[in-house]
Amino acid sequence: MPQVTLTVNGKTSTVTVEGRTLLVELLREKLSLTGTHVGCDTSQCGACVVHVNGNSVKSCTMLALQAEGAEVTTIEGLAAADGTLHPMQEMFRENHALQCGFCTPGMVMSAIDLVQKNPQGLSQDEIRHGLEGNLCRCTGYHNIVKAIDAAQPLLHAKAAE
Amino acid sequence: MYDFTYSKPSSLADAVAALAGDDQAKALAGGQTFIPVLKQRLNNPSVVVDLAGLGLSFITVTGESVTIGATTTHAAVAASKDVRNAIPALAALAGGIGDNQVRNRGTIGGSLANNDPSACYPAAALALGATIKTSKREIAADDYFQGMFTTALEPDELIVSVSFPIPAKAAYVKFKNPASRYAMVGVFVAKGPKGVRVAVTGAGQGGVHRHSAAEAALAANWSADSVAGITVPADALNSDIHASAEYRAHLVQVVTKRAVIAAG
Ligand SMILES: Cc1cc2nc3c(=O)[nH]c(=O)nc-3n(C[C@H](O)[C@H](O)[C@H](O)COP(=O)(O)OP(=O)(O)OC[C@H]3O[C@@H](n4cnc5c(N)ncnc54)[C@H](O)[C@@H]3O)c2cc1C
Ligand code: FES
Ligand code: FES
């Protein structure tokens, strides 16, 4: 059986997989990182979004073996060791940007990539378009957009440190 | 998904050899189409040949053309300053495909090899008169697209890069399906070294095609008014859950006009 070596949230692991094993299956079933969700399994909903080498991707639409040598960050890798939330997580909490929470890990991972790639800042309309790959059945998106907007200066300040 | 052997060759020759030696072997690029196909068990490959190690992610711009390597992602094309300067319509097209996560994985080679009848890149390749360089030969866009999901590619032939001649004017306007962002109708208009060319995606039963009536009108007089009245027959257009053929025929008329306005 093939093996894949990758670094997830700073920790390097070598895992035995099948050719067909998806990255999300590796994360959830082999590494027990169940914060990354599977909503649709058809590349539509974005519940499974993680960062691979700094880019947000749908981990249900990538083979585990395609992540050989990659740096992967999941929702579990965001908060500091003492439990202090990442500013994007904190802004989601402060702005009541989640209800059932199912979409939240993917939303947060997509939102961080979106904000980091746009240091010039985004309008609320641009944030909405930037979330096209993430579906939420509960919130109506309004507070998610507010949270991401509020997180922009915090993330940009963090990047400038 | 059926299981398969995964291989990631580091040279084009090895990738081609892997495909040529086994008719059940299949190429994998960004996986944004192929992995969903595998999940539905519509394909049962023996070997999946990942093209990510071939060094085909690059963009080269000269005075005459923009050349993009097959495994270059939509996100890389959209963000490229060189592409934005040379052919802004092409960068904008790439930036409008799917969503950020699809664009971070999906590639130009995968899009052109798949030739989905609603895909965006085929319209750019056909309207700009692109040349598709493969592991065997160079294919003009006019000869490359051969109907829905069908191209001139042979089973063991890989796209290496695509060269787009730089036009004087061009624009792509897509009336998108709001859920997938695929084109219900997309029109790419261009006035360039290959003449005035108009390509329509999302509408035709045979996939991407040229719109000769609009081309003739625009060659005589490049203006939105000259295409505003051009209707197209609905008989050769698609009808599906998203739109009827009649609706698509109307969209072709409206979107062509909008594309000419956008091109200026
Ligand atoms: C949610 C969603 C929304 C999307 N929206 C759009 C949209 O708005 N517009 C649009 O145009 N597309 C859209 N797509 C499709 C997307 O652009 C895909 O990335 C693209 O169609 C396939 O590219 P890929 O690199 O992912 O190829 P893969 O899925 O890896 O491969 C597709 C096919 O091409 C073959 N192939 C790949 N590379 C080569 C090569 N170099 N030479 C020969 N054969 C090759 C493979 O064998 C396979 O048969 C969407 C996809 C998703 C999941
Ligand atoms: S589970 Fe991956 S996009 Fe829905
Ligand atoms: S909070 Fe329930 S799906 Fe988004």
Side-chain angles (χ1 to χ4, degrees), chain A residues 43, chain B residues 27 29-34 74 98 106-107 113 119-120 159 174 180-182:
Chain A
S43 326
Chain B
Q32 301 303 291
T33 296
F34 193 46
H74 309 327
T107 69
C120 301
I159 298 178
K174 147 165 95 162
S180 73
R181 264 91 50 208
Y182 271 104

Side-chain angles (χ1 to χ4, degrees), chain A residues 18-22 41-44 49 52 55-58 60-63 65-66 68 110 113-114 117 129-134, chain B residues 1-6 8 28-33 35-36 38-39 41 48 50 98-105 176 179-181:
Chain A
E18 290 184 301
R20 64 181 164 182
T21 305
L22 299 168
D41 201 22
T42 58
S43 326
Q44 311 285 324
V49 171
V52 175
N55 294 313
S56 56
V57 307
K58 293 173 180 171
C60 76
T61 313
M62 182 167 170
L63 301 176
L65 286 163
Q66 288 180 290
E68 174 64 35
S110 289
D113 188 28
L114 179 68
K117 294 236 175 88
H129 281 289
L131 293 179
E132 275 164 344
N134 294 78
Chain B
M1 213 191 299
Y2 299 113
D3 199 19
F4 48 77
T5 302
Y6 169 90
K8 188 175 173 187
L28 170 70
Q32 301 303 291
T33 296
I35 292 175
L38 291 175
K39 286 184 184 181
R41 295 193 168 178
V48 167
D50 189 348
D99 51 58
N100 278 320
Q101 290 69 41
V102 168
R103 295 194 285 274
N104 280 338
R105 296 291 305 163
K176 60 192 170 195
S180 73
R181 264 91 50 208

Side-chain angles (χ1 to χ4, degrees), chain A residues 10 24 27 30 45 58 62 75 80 95-96 114 134:
Chain A
V24 71
L27 294 170
K30 307 272 181 182
C45 75
K58 293 173 180 171
M62 182 167 170
I75 191 75
N95 289 281
H96 191 54
L114 179 68
N134 294 78

